[in-house]
Amino acid sequence: MQPDVWFLDEPTALLDPEGTEQVWETIRQVTAGRTVLIVEHKIEEIARFVDRVVLFDHQARIIADGAADDVFAAHKRELQEYGIWYPGVWMDYAKSPRYRMLQARKIIAGAGGTGPLLKLNGFQGFHGKTPKISVSAAAVSPGTGSRLSARTGRARARCSSR
């Protein structure tokens, strides 16, 4: 079977860098000369692979259609607004006020600060509209063992770190 159009939904999810490169090399070989539609978080990889990026807004209207470098450069604000990763997103994040605030909090906490790094109160996780996990209260503080227990609809999950 040799389809003319390939649809790939996060083909390298949860793979290490070596596995990711192997998968992309295989995809390049088997899809040569064909149309490939890709949904992927590892943008640096696909930016080198694709010759066209189509960007949609929150109402599914096309707001950009062109070469990857052009779309990423001209529409960075929209990409950030919609939470879409682009090449260099983590470098931009590291320069952001939010990151600096988190780093300052980490430094303060590491220097004997008294506040927890993470607090959950009345947390719920959903699948669609159905609640699947619930945590009444939890806190993670630097230098302490932390444990989070939660009951889902079918099983009990426990995560521990020391």
Side-chain angles (χ1 to χ4, degrees):
M1 182 180 345
Q2 293 293 323
D4 290 329
V5 179
W6 289 65
F7 296 89
L8 303 175
D9 186 7
E10 298 191 37
T12 62
L14 304 176
L15 294 180
D16 64 12
E18 184 179 333
T20 296
E21 183 54 40
Q22 291 171 356
V23 167
W24 280 113
E25 184 55 37
T26 301
I27 291 170
R28 280 184 199 90
Q29 290 173 12
V30 300
T31 63
R34 294 179 172 80
T35 299
V36 183
L37 298 172
I38 307 166
V39 175
E40 179 63 84
H41 283 95
K42 298 175 183 175
I43 297 301
E44 282 80 6
E45 288 292 326
I46 67 167
R48 296 188 310 240
F49 178 71
V50 302
D51 57 0
R52 177 177 169 206
V53 170
V54 181
L55 178 62
F56 299 87
D57 70 7
H58 64 284
Q59 294 181 337
R61 294 178 299 216
I62 295 174
I63 58 173
D65 183 351
D69 290 343
D70 296 341
V71 170
F72 292 138
H75 296 278
K76 189 181 277 190
R77 184 187 59 76
E78 291 94 340
L79 295 166
Q80 291 169 339
E81 179 183 339
Y82 297 135
I84 300 170
W85 295 359
Y86 53 88
V89 67
W90 298 115
M91 295 299 290
D92 287 349
Y93 178 69
K95 297 174 192 171
S96 73
R98 171 90 173 136
Y99 181 79
R100 286 195 303 271
M101 184 273 302
L102 291 171
Q103 286 300 102
R105 185 172 181 196
K106 179 179 171 183
I107 292 166
I108 291 168
T114 58
L117 298 173
L118 170 71
K119 287 174 70 173
L120 297 175
N121 290 304
F123 173 81
Q124 282 192 301
F126 291 82
H127 181 264
K129 294 183 179 182
T130 306
K132 293 293 184 178
I133 188 169
S134 181
V135 177
S136 58
V140 177
S141 298
T144 63
S146 301
R147 177 173 293 167
L148 174 64
S149 295
R151 183 175 299 279
T152 65
R154 294 182 298 254
R156 185 169 181 86
R158 181 168 293 215
C159 301
S160 298
S161 66
R162 293 251 182 243

